[in-house]
């Protein structure tokens, strides 16, 4: 937007810019404080693990929306749908005939030695062959019409509650903006989520499948979202101790006794899902749920074993995966990636560490990551040792020149780096993509890390009608 670096205002921001120029900065600062108060009153917080300071934090919210044109979104949505279809086809194949390995497109050790591969899923076919019922695809823009996929979130993608609350907050504070701009709605997401989950119910379900959300409990960092989604969908929020296997079905405790659950939207990791089949120490899961699942007595969303599709080493093969299962070139580009388990790639990464971003293969939340251009000599040397000791644990990528969007500061508008996480709902005959998604913003000047646990914030994302 104009006023930051002299560039012309991008077309999608034209109406907003006219409105902004006519606003009193003092009123906007007051609105920014009101937004923070709203988030605090609503209880929109997240937990930070392993920190001495306050466990619960407020997620910073910026009142300047990120605006995407309908034309841009149309192309993005086609690319996202293509990618999600390929991911589901890949998961079915990996747990059945493994044709992609037979064809030599992925080395067998990428699967056989991968901790995210779940042998218990071999031969299991979820209802409708849907493995990833909810997917979050992280995107970054590097040019006017150039988007890259940073990573695929195929296990339990989080953040959709912030997307919905951000929109509610903006509607509450600036209703006039939504009459002046034709912004596509996102508020129907919970309804679509419930409909999509119900469509994936097992054959033993009756005409109105019972859906429940499984949470690890109030101390989980995303507990607010678990309770928010259960409430908005009108379904039960349950913990492991609320469920048990009765007569070959997973059933939940109610005031009228135990009642079968048809679809369990779980926000518990694979390893904690079933102490009889996975981690025997887990008190978060349901003993025997995997046996019921394999017998077709319940749908688990997302399916166990989907983590292999968002493994960062597998990510580097996504262009091949898309082409193998769709017969088309990938619409959305991957970031060029060096797999450090390959000797030539490792040598290149070690020689160019100061210019690269290095990530743990199974890392998330911005932890375990090195951003070479901003790292100290000590951090670079420590990471060299990590790479040398466990090269297979890392991938490396170039430092992209990410686009920026404006945020509102006391001094006016200022540019900050952002990413975008659109949310995708998959059912047997349909793929729904919420227009926009969650924009995460690096609030620290010059920072490339947008994760809330690392000081990032969020903003409302507008997709305009075409």
């Amino acid at each position: 937007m104009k006023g930051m670096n002299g560039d012309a205002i991008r077309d999608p921001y034209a109406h907003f810019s006219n409105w902004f120029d006519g606003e009193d900065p003092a009123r906007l600062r007051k609105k920014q404080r009101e937004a923070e108060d709203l988030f605090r009153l609503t209880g929109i917080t997240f937990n930070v693990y392993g920190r001495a300071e306050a466990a619960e934090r407020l997620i910073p919210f910026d009142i300047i929306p990120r605006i995407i044109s309908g034309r841009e979104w149309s192309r993005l949505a086609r690319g996202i749908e293509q990618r999600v279809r390929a991911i589901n086809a890949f998961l079915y194949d990996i747990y059945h005939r493994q044709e992609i390995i037979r064809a030599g497109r992925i080395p067998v050790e990428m699967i056989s030695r991968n901790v995210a591969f779940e042998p218990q899923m071999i031969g299991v076919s979820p209802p409708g062959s849907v493995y990833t019922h909810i997917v979050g695809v992280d995107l970054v823009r590097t040019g006017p019409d150039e988007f890259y996929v940073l990573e695929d979130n195929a296990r339990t993608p989080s953040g959709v509650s912030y997307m919905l609350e951000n929109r509610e907050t903006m509607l509450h504070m600036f209703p006039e903006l939504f009459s002046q701009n034709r912004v596509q709605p996102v508020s129907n997401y919970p309804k679509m989520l419930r409909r999509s989950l119900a469509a994936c119910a097992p054959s033993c379900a009756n005409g109105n499948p019972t859906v429940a959300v499984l949470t690890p409990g109030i101390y989980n960092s995303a507990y607010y979202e678990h309770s928010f989604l259960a409430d908005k969908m009108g379904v039960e929020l349950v913990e492991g101790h609320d469920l048990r296997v009765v007569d070959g079905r997973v059933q939940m405790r109610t005031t009228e006794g135990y009642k079968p659950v048809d679809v369990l939207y779980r926000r518990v990791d694979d390893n904690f899902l079933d102490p009889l089949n996975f981690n025997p120490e887990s008190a978060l899961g349901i003993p025997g749920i995997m046996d019921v699942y394999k017998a077709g007595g319940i749908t688990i969303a997302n399916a166990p074993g989907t983590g292999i599709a968002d493994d960062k080493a597998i990510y580097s093969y996504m262009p091949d995966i898309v082409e193998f299962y769709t017969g088309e070139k990938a619409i959305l580009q991957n970031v060029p990636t060096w797999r450090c388990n390959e000797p030539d790639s490792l040598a290149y990464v070690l020689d160019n560490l100061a210019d690269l971003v290095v990530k743990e293969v199974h890392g998330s939340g911005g932890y375990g990551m090195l951003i070479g251009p901003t790292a100290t000599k000590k951090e670079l040397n420590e990471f060299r040792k990590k790479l040398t000791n466990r090269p297979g644990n890392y991938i490396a990528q170039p430092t992209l020149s990410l686009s920026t969007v404006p945020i509102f500061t006391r001094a006016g508008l200022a540019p900050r780096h952002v990413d975008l996480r659109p949310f995708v709902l998959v059912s047997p005959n349909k793929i729904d993509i919420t227009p926009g998604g969650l924009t995460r913003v690096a609030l620290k000047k010059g920072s490339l890390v947008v994760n809330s646990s690392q000081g990032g914030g969020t903003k409302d994302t507008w997709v305009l009608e075409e």
Side-chain angles (χ1 to χ4, degrees), residues 46-358:
F46 70 100
N47 291 343
V48 181
Y49 296 131
R51 298 285 180 93
E53 62 264 32
E56 285 205 355
R57 289 188 187 171
L58 200 67
I59 292 190
F61 172 70
D62 180 62
I63 61 171
I64 306 297
R66 190 229 188 116
I67 308 177
I68 300 170
S69 73
R71 180 189 62 80
E72 286 175 320
W73 180 252
S74 181
R75 179 178 172 272
L76 277 177
R78 287 198 308 275
I80 292 165
E81 179 169 345
Q82 178 198 52
R83 196 170 178 103
V84 169
R85 285 191 191 283
I87 285 172
N88 264 293
F90 167 70
L91 286 164
Y92 183 88
D93 184 29
I94 284 303
Y95 289 114
H96 289 81
R97 286 186 52 79
Q98 301 191 338
E99 298 286 357
I100 196 166
I101 294 173
R102 294 167 193 250
R105 301 294 285 269
I106 290 183
V108 65
E109 60 271 14
M110 292 302 296
I111 305 300
S112 61
R113 296 181 189 170
N114 197 311
V115 296
F117 180 71
E118 186 46 69
Q120 292 219 34
M121 286 297 293
I122 293 172
V124 178
S125 298
S129 297
V130 178
Y131 286 80
T132 52
H133 307 76
I134 303 101
V135 187
V137 180
D138 289 353
L139 302 166
V140 289
R141 185 205 289 273
T142 56
D145 275 312
E146 193 171 56
F147 284 86
Y148 283 89
V149 177
L150 267 187
E151 60 183 57
D152 305 286
N153 297 276
R155 305 180 209 207
T156 52
S158 62
V160 75
S161 59
Y162 307 128
M163 173 191 81
L164 295 168
E165 292 286 15
N166 289 352
R167 177 61 53 86
E168 279 296 311
T169 300
M170 290 295 284
L171 281 165
H172 175 78
M173 294 195 307
F174 304 111
E176 71 276 17
L177 280 173
F178 292 89
S179 58
Q180 296 168 18
N181 296 271
R182 296 194 304 163
V183 183
Q184 295 189 37
V186 298
S187 60
N188 59 344
Y189 177 88
K191 183 179 177 182
M192 288 165 55
L193 174 59
R194 178 164 185 176
R195 186 178 63 207
S196 184
L197 289 171
C200 296
S203 57
C204 60
N206 58 30
N208 185 22
T210 299
V211 178
V213 177
L214 175 65
T215 176
I218 60 171
Y219 299 109
N220 183 266
S221 62
Y223 180 75
Y224 168 79
E225 177 157 295
H226 307 165
S227 57
F228 174 92
L229 287 173
D231 180 56
K232 294 292 183 185
M233 283 195 288
V235 304
E236 292 296 333
L237 179 69
V238 296
E239 296 182 33
H241 57 77
D242 297 316
L243 302 167
R244 62 164 61 168
V245 175
V246 181
D247 298 331
R249 298 289 305 277
V250 174
Q251 306 203 26
M252 65 179 170
R253 185 170 47 200
T254 72
T255 53
E256 299 171 358
Y258 279 86
K259 177 183 177 183
V261 175
D262 300 306
V263 181
L264 193 63
Y265 176 22
R266 54 87 177 224
R267 299 296 291 260
V268 171
D269 292 344
D270 285 3
N271 198 36
F272 299 101
L273 198 53
D274 183 346
L276 296 183
N277 286 278
F278 300 121
N279 179 1
E281 303 296 317
S282 172
L284 302 176
I286 305 100
I289 188 174
M290 275 303 290
D291 301 312
V292 176
Y293 178 64
K294 288 192 260 189
I298 191 169
T299 294
I300 299 174
N302 288 345
T306 53
I308 196 155
D310 62 22
D311 171 279
K312 290 182 178 65
I314 293 292
Y315 161 91
S316 64
Y317 290 95
M318 275 305 296
D320 290 307
I321 288 170
V322 170
E323 190 173 355
F324 186 82
Y325 295 108
T326 68
E328 306 163 344
K329 292 285 185 186
I331 296 169
L332 293 175
Q333 299 182 73
N334 253 34
V335 180
T337 302
W338 290 273
R339 296 182 282 268
C340 296
N341 63 332
E342 298 171 359
D344 290 348
S345 294
L346 177 62
Y348 177 86
V349 171
L350 290 171
D351 286 346
N352 297 274
L353 200 55
D355 301 318
L356 301 173
V357 175
V358 186

Side-chain angles (χ1 to χ4, degrees), residues 405-452:
V405 299
I407 67 164
F408 187 67
T409 71
R410 295 195 69 81
L413 297 179
R416 293 292 186 270
H417 294 297
V418 290
D419 75 357
L420 175 66
R421 177 176 291 181
F423 294 95
V424 189
L425 299 175
V426 185
S427 56
N429 302 309
K430 201 163 188 267
I431 292 181
D432 289 303
I433 305 169
T434 307
L438 178 67
T439 289
R440 300 184 299 177
V441 55
L443 295 176
K444 295 174 186 172
K445 186 177 179 180
S447 174
L448 297 173
V449 182
V450 298
N451 304 82
S452 52

